[in-house]
Amino acid sequence: MDNHIHVKLISLEDIYKTKCFDLKQIIQIIEDALLAYSNNEILLPDKISQIFNEGLQTRINCMPSTLLKEGVCGVKWVSVFPNNPKLYNKQNVSGVILLSEIKTGFPFAIVDGTLITALRTACLGAIGAKYLARKDSSVYGTIGAGEQAKTHFLVMKTLFPNIKTCYVSSRSNESELRFVDVMKAKFDDVEFITCNGDYDLASRNADIIVTAVSCQAPLLKADSIKPGTFYCHVGGWEDEYDVALKADKIVCDDWSSLKHRGSPTIARMYEKGLLKDSDIYANLPDIISGKKLGRETDLEFNYFNSIGLSFVDVAVANYFYKAVTSKGLGTDWSLQESDAFDVLKDLDFNK
């Protein structure tokens, strides 16, 4: 009996060396996965979240899913520890993705999930903007200046090349300046304006607003949002309730998955009875497929919130696995060379 199990380890450095960062291709992979989900071609069990600090939402999530047409089952194991940068000088998000084929059930890859989490989250926000923001959007406002905020701007600028002004606000001016240093080196056609923690300044002129923060506080105010704006809500409680109440359209990646997660603003509102199911305009796949319209007027204020669906992570991880292995990269790991009983039978259980 062939019980060999060989796994390919795909590191962040492997992905970098492969240079498979075609953001438009990754966005298309995610759109295709969302459509597959709406066509019942995805298995998506409930996410398991172990929360260690309710206030900070410090947690480790276990997120399984299966791409039925591709024959790939995966699980993402991801941690979110908001105080890591301040307490330990470490990133606040880390993760890995395990991939198995569903013919024999054997695992075949373990892929870095930290980059995929950042990319997936930003790409979903950009896809939301693709359908819900004004095509001529040129002013961008970010509340938050960390890695996720940088990734969002990188992806948004890919889809909206007319962005020429970016307001940057954060709890510290140092992080705003770091954001500008990184992004200015890449986008010399953009004027970056630091706001020194003034979230209203970052928001009031923006065509696209992104809140990418690790705190749990209503930083974005409804009065700071002009008509015609697109707002991308990234994490937990980031905006006051009046922001959602002001919106012409509220769109999610999957409302049924989001509404029972206690952290996001609109999930809190649903729990308090301030939002009903009927207040949610659409799930993003309904708009991608044409079942529902996206932006219809220049004056609409549209609100987008993704909770993060693990099959999107699995689809991107599978793409990276194929890209990396096609270049002969990745590390071979022999997980099992013989039958498990061959090991057990030689043990002396009388000891």
Side-chain angles (χ1 to χ4, degrees):
M1 186 177 294
D2 182 7
N3 289 320
H4 293 187
I5 301 178
H6 295 165
V7 174
K8 186 73 78 171
L9 302 179
I10 308 295
S11 70
L12 174 63
E13 286 69 28
D14 290 325
I15 296 170
Y16 177 76
K17 290 174 187 174
T18 307
K19 300 191 182 302
C20 50
F21 295 106
D22 185 335
L23 289 176
K24 290 184 178 179
Q25 184 174 359
I26 292 171
I27 286 169
Q28 188 59 57
I29 288 167
I30 293 174
E31 288 200 37
D32 291 344
L34 290 169
L35 288 176
Y37 179 55
S38 68
N39 292 330
N40 299 313
E41 296 168 355
I42 301 286
L43 298 180
L44 185 64
D46 290 340
K47 167 184 176 180
I48 299 171
S49 188
Q50 299 176 85
I51 300 174
F52 312 115
N53 183 306
E54 288 286 349
L56 290 172
Q57 285 293 297
T58 302
R59 62 198 185 274
I60 294 179
N61 297 329
C62 176
M63 305 166 62
S65 60
T66 299
L67 314 176
L68 291 172
K69 288 183 72 174
E70 288 82 1
V72 174
C73 177
V75 61
K76 182 168 83 163
W77 183 266
V78 60
S79 67
V80 183
F81 281 58
N83 269 352
N84 272 1
K86 181 170 65 175
L87 295 180
Y88 308 112
N89 194 31
K90 292 180 179 291
Q91 63 196 37
N92 65 337
V93 175
S94 63
V96 295
I97 299 172
L98 171 66
L99 300 179
S100 296
E101 45 83 8
I102 61 174
K103 181 180 179 181
T104 68
F106 278 20
F108 65 86
I110 297 175
V111 185
D112 168 72
T114 307
L115 171 67
I116 290 172
T117 298
L119 268 180
R120 177 266 289 162
T121 306
C123 286
L124 277 169
I127 293 168
K130 175 181 173 180
Y131 293 96
L132 295 166
R134 295 197 334 267
K135 302 301 181 189
D136 62 349
S137 294
S138 62
V139 180
Y140 187 95
T142 178
I143 295 177
E147 297 309 307
Q148 192 62 74
K150 294 186 187 82
T151 309
H152 267 79
F153 184 77
L154 181 69
V155 181
M156 289 284 192
K157 176 66 172 168
T158 299
L159 290 190
F160 292 85
N162 289 332
I163 292 174
K164 300 300 180 185
T165 305
C166 177
Y167 290 89
V168 186
S169 61
S170 180
R171 284 177 290 184
S172 72
N173 185 242
E174 290 79 10
S175 62
E176 294 176 1
L177 292 172
R178 285 195 298 270
F179 181 102
V180 172
D181 285 343
V182 171
M183 290 301 161
K184 197 162 190 175
K186 186 168 183 62
F187 301 109
D188 59 6
D189 63 330
V190 177
E191 178 187 11
F192 291 94
I193 301 171
T194 58
C195 300
N196 202 23
D198 187 339
Y199 304 130
D200 173 70
L201 176 60
S203 308
R204 63 179 181 238
N205 296 312
D207 303 313
I208 295 173
I209 300 170
V210 173
T211 52
V213 294
S214 57
C215 65
Q216 299 288 320
L219 303 181
L220 177 63
K221 308 300 183 184
D223 288 344
S224 300
I225 301 169
K226 68 180 185 180
T229 300
F230 167 77
Y231 168 47
C232 177
H233 177 289
V234 175
W237 186 25
E238 303 173 349
D239 52 316
E240 65 181 6
Y241 294 164
D242 282 346
V243 173
L245 296 175
K246 182 177 182 175
D248 294 289
K249 290 173 179 165
I250 300 175
V251 176
C252 309
D253 52 355
D254 186 65
W255 172 238
S256 64
S257 297
L258 190 151
K259 65 182 177 180
H260 298 302
R261 311 274 177 85
S263 176
T265 305
I266 57 176
R268 293 169 184 257
M269 295 175 68
Y270 179 78
E271 184 179 353
K272 294 175 182 289
L274 300 175
L275 278 182
K276 306 183 296 295
D277 291 332
S278 58
D279 293 320
I280 306 304
Y281 173 71
N283 286 328
L284 187 55
D286 296 327
I287 296 176
I288 295 172
S289 67
K291 293 178 184 176
K292 288 277 190 96
L293 295 175
R295 173 175 287 271
E296 296 177 77
T297 74
D298 283 345
L299 295 179
E300 282 181 7
F301 164 48
N302 292 328
Y303 185 119
F304 177 71
N305 190 180
S306 68
I307 192 61
L309 302 169
S310 60
F311 65 82
V312 174
D313 299 274
V314 170
V316 177
N318 194 41
Y319 161 70
F320 281 151
Y321 163 77
K322 291 177 179 177
V324 168
T325 55
S326 72
K327 301 290 187 182
L329 296 173
T331 302
D332 291 317
W333 179 35
S334 179
L335 185 63
Q336 178 179 314
E337 292 290 348
S338 57
D339 187 85
F341 188 73
D342 289 340
V343 176
L344 293 173
K345 70 182 180 183
D346 292 330
L347 294 178
D348 185 352
F349 290 97
N350 293 317
K351 288 184 178 179

